[in-house]
Amino acid sequence: MRAIWTGAIGFGLVNIPVKLYAASESSNLDLDMLDKNDLSNIRFKRVNEKTGKEVPYANIVKGYKLEDEYIVLEDADFEAVAPEKSKLLSIKQFVKLEDVDPAYYETPYFLEAQKNGEDAYRLLLQALLKTEMAGIGTFILRDREILGLVRPYDGKILMVNRMRFPEEVRSYEELKLPPKKKAKDEELKMAEMLISQLATEFDPKKYENSYSADLLAIIEKKAKGQTYKPTEEKEEKTSTTDLMAMLKASLEGSKKQAG
């Protein structure tokens, strides 16, 4: 793996030199866009909207429109913004993981200790494991300030979960929410029973991207000239009056699976 950021984690007066690595990758099939006439690849070009001509990457700059005029930014301008954050993820607080709403979680990254940082890295890892806490701080990655949560992963390594800032989580106030009404006692009891029957410890290995595997199987069939018939799933119409019946059927189904 190739490091995408090199810097340090700071908590108190302790600095831990680290490298940051992507901890996730897409499991979707890499599909190309083609011209249906001759199956040529579709290319995207960076063009000048006035001349229509392609612009070399070396000639592309970043700018911000301020009062109908673009202010061009250079590398030095980005570096001048909180330069201490460019190379330091400073932990500002420690929190219980259970107190962080999953809605704030985004991309995960692995942290690797650099030379002479192994002891401090191991200390922070073991301290977080023992206290069941996580550290929150910010740093600069690719010209953007990142809110990061530092936590143990698999009991062996430190991970940074990139988090959304509060203003990036949209409000649900415009959505139509169910009217406030207490569920019927019998329905609630059966729903709790169903949840209890299906409750297990989380095992991520139980889940896989089956859509990509199924799509690849279709691609391989087409490559061999084979035909296939898509299966049609009938849409089952239900109503709120069927709620008790659905709950009972669900309970019976989960009992049979368990048996």
Side-chain angles (χ1 to χ4, degrees):
M1 289 191 284
R2 185 171 63 87
I4 59 176
W5 183 81
T6 300
I9 298 175
F11 68 106
L13 298 177
V14 180
N15 274 16
I16 310 170
V18 294
K19 288 184 178 181
L20 191 76
Y21 297 85
S24 62
E25 59 186 5
S26 175
S27 60
N28 295 322
L29 294 181
D30 186 13
L31 302 177
D32 295 327
M33 288 193 293
L34 311 172
D35 185 332
K36 71 176 183 179
N37 293 313
D38 61 359
L39 301 186
S40 296
N41 278 86
I42 303 298
R43 289 182 57 198
F44 291 92
K45 296 181 179 181
R46 300 177 178 88
V47 298
N48 184 310
E49 68 174 9
K50 293 181 179 179
T51 66
K53 294 181 179 180
E54 186 174 0
V55 181
Y57 186 78
N59 290 352
I60 297 177
V61 296
K62 294 181 179 180
Y64 182 82
K65 198 170 189 178
L66 186 64
E67 297 179 356
D68 295 327
E69 182 181 352
Y70 276 109
I71 308 300
V72 176
L73 296 170
E74 301 175 354
D75 291 344
D77 297 317
F78 292 105
E79 294 170 0
V81 182
E84 72 281 358
K85 292 183 179 180
S86 297
K87 292 295 180 182
L88 179 66
L89 193 171
S90 181
I91 295 176
K92 301 300 184 184
Q93 65 174 146
F94 290 94
V95 300
K96 288 285 187 182
L97 275 172
E98 61 191 33
D99 292 339
V100 182
D101 193 306
Y104 289 97
Y105 285 138
E106 207 172 297
T107 312
Y109 301 95
F110 290 132
L111 285 170
E112 177 188 64
Q114 292 193 71
K115 188 177 180 181
N116 298 325
E118 295 88 350
D119 289 343
Y121 182 102
R122 183 168 52 248
L123 174 64
L124 179 59
L125 173 62
Q126 293 178 7
L128 292 178
L129 284 169
K130 188 170 184 178
T131 59
E132 297 182 346
M133 302 285 277
I136 295 181
T138 59
F139 67 109
I140 304 298
L141 176 65
R142 295 169 178 166
D143 302 334
R144 291 186 61 187
E145 182 163 14
I146 303 299
L147 179 64
L149 180 140
V150 181
R151 65 183 182 90
Y153 177 72
D154 204 24
K156 300 176 182 178
I157 190 171
L158 288 175
M159 171 180 277
V160 174
N161 265 102
R162 178 174 172 173
M163 297 178 65
R164 297 178 177 90
F165 286 96
E167 62 267 25
E168 295 175 324
V169 180
R170 300 177 69 177
S171 171
Y172 55 79
E173 296 300 331
E174 295 181 6
L175 304 180
K176 293 181 180 179
L177 304 180
K180 289 184 177 180
K181 183 180 178 181
K182 187 178 179 182
K184 295 179 181 178
D185 290 341
E186 189 177 0
E187 292 174 350
L188 184 58
K189 185 177 180 180
M190 294 192 71
E192 291 173 351
M193 289 173 61
L194 179 58
I195 291 173
S196 178
Q197 283 189 9
L198 297 176
T200 61
E201 289 188 6
F202 174 62
D203 181 6
K205 294 179 181 178
K206 289 183 177 181
Y207 304 91
E208 61 180 23
N209 188 348
S210 59
Y211 178 84
S212 291
D214 294 342
L215 182 59
L216 182 58
I218 290 174
I219 292 171
E220 291 172 344
K221 283 183 179 180
K222 292 193 72 172
K224 296 176 181 178
Q226 299 176 4
T227 58
Y228 63 93
K229 185 178 181 180
T231 56
E232 295 184 5
E233 293 189 6
K234 294 182 179 179
E235 185 177 349
E236 296 183 6
K237 295 183 179 180
T238 57
S239 65
T240 53
T241 56
D242 299 323
L243 191 52
M244 279 298 296
M246 288 188 292
L247 285 167
K248 289 179 180 178
S250 299
L251 280 168
E252 290 299 321
S254 64
K255 286 179 181 177
K256 290 179 181 179
Q257 288 181 353

